[in-house]
Amino acid sequence: MTPSTTVRRSHLWRWRRSPLRRREDVLEAWILLAVWLVAAVAGPVAGVLSARATVDALARQRAERRPATAVLVGAAPRSFVSGEVTVDHVIATVRWTAADGTSHTGRTQVNAGLKAGERVAVWMDREDRLTTEPQTPGQADIEATFMGAAAFLGVATAAAAGFYGARVVLDRRRSRAWEAEWRTQGSRWGRASNWTPPPR
């Protein structure tokens, strides 16, 4: 008999009529069924909704952001080595002209080593403010897949944690019931017993 078969039988016996079955056993079986339903139904639904929300949000970013050209106010720092990685993108101050003709300055990421006055490609939002480059559709699909999987695992983990938390409470109730019955039987036999049921 394989371990998985043993585990299935250990849970299935709670659904059968038995003199050993207690109310806590039936309650545990129903909780386990609810956990499986949540993992099988709510988990995939949460994953799909999270993935779709991510795709929609990143699509809005691509629609709202636009490329523009700015001018470096000062020379950008040169590239440098941090640990074992060469940093060739740095933060520098740039100046650009908004759609209404007003001039603005801000800080954004540019290639290292550029001279003052050089033109650099930047991204703007609807209010002509500096922002980051939106993700490509391919990158958005990867992130949506990751977010969907994370949502599914989150629901499944929460359901499993709830089941094991409930099982701890039910095991304590069963243990107290066994102790009370053992004392009752011991008094009927005319002797006290110090036996403590083993932990489940």
Side-chain angles (χ1 to χ4, degrees), residues 39-177:
V41 178
V45 169
V48 170
L49 292 178
S50 178
R52 182 167 297 177
T54 302
V55 169
D56 292 343
L58 296 179
R60 284 195 300 271
Q61 285 186 2
R62 289 194 299 273
E64 294 173 356
R65 299 179 184 183
R66 60 180 178 82
T69 301
V71 177
L72 271 175
V73 174
R78 295 183 179 275
S79 61
F80 59 94
V81 177
S82 177
E84 298 181 355
V85 178
T86 300
V87 178
D88 53 8
H89 287 81
V90 296
I91 301 299
T93 302
V94 297
R95 182 178 61 253
W96 70 95
T97 302
D100 59 2
T102 58
S103 180
H104 300 270
T105 58
R107 294 177 64 79
T108 188
Q109 182 174 272
V110 299
N111 293 330
L114 294 178
K115 298 179 181 179
E118 288 197 55
R119 294 180 178 274
V120 294
V122 295
W123 285 86
M124 300 288 176
D125 61 14
R126 287 183 172 179
E127 285 74 34
D128 285 327
R129 296 175 302 190
L130 287 173
T131 186
T132 57
E133 181 179 358
Q135 294 189 6
T136 65
Q139 293 171 333
D141 289 341
I142 293 175
E143 182 167 344
T145 301
F146 174 80
M147 295 301 294
F152 170 78
L153 291 176
V155 171
T157 300
F163 169 71
Y164 283 108
R167 187 173 184 179
V168 168
V169 175
L170 293 174
D171 283 345
R172 291 175 180 173
R173 292 177 58 176
R174 280 188 286 248
S175 180
R176 287 195 295 267

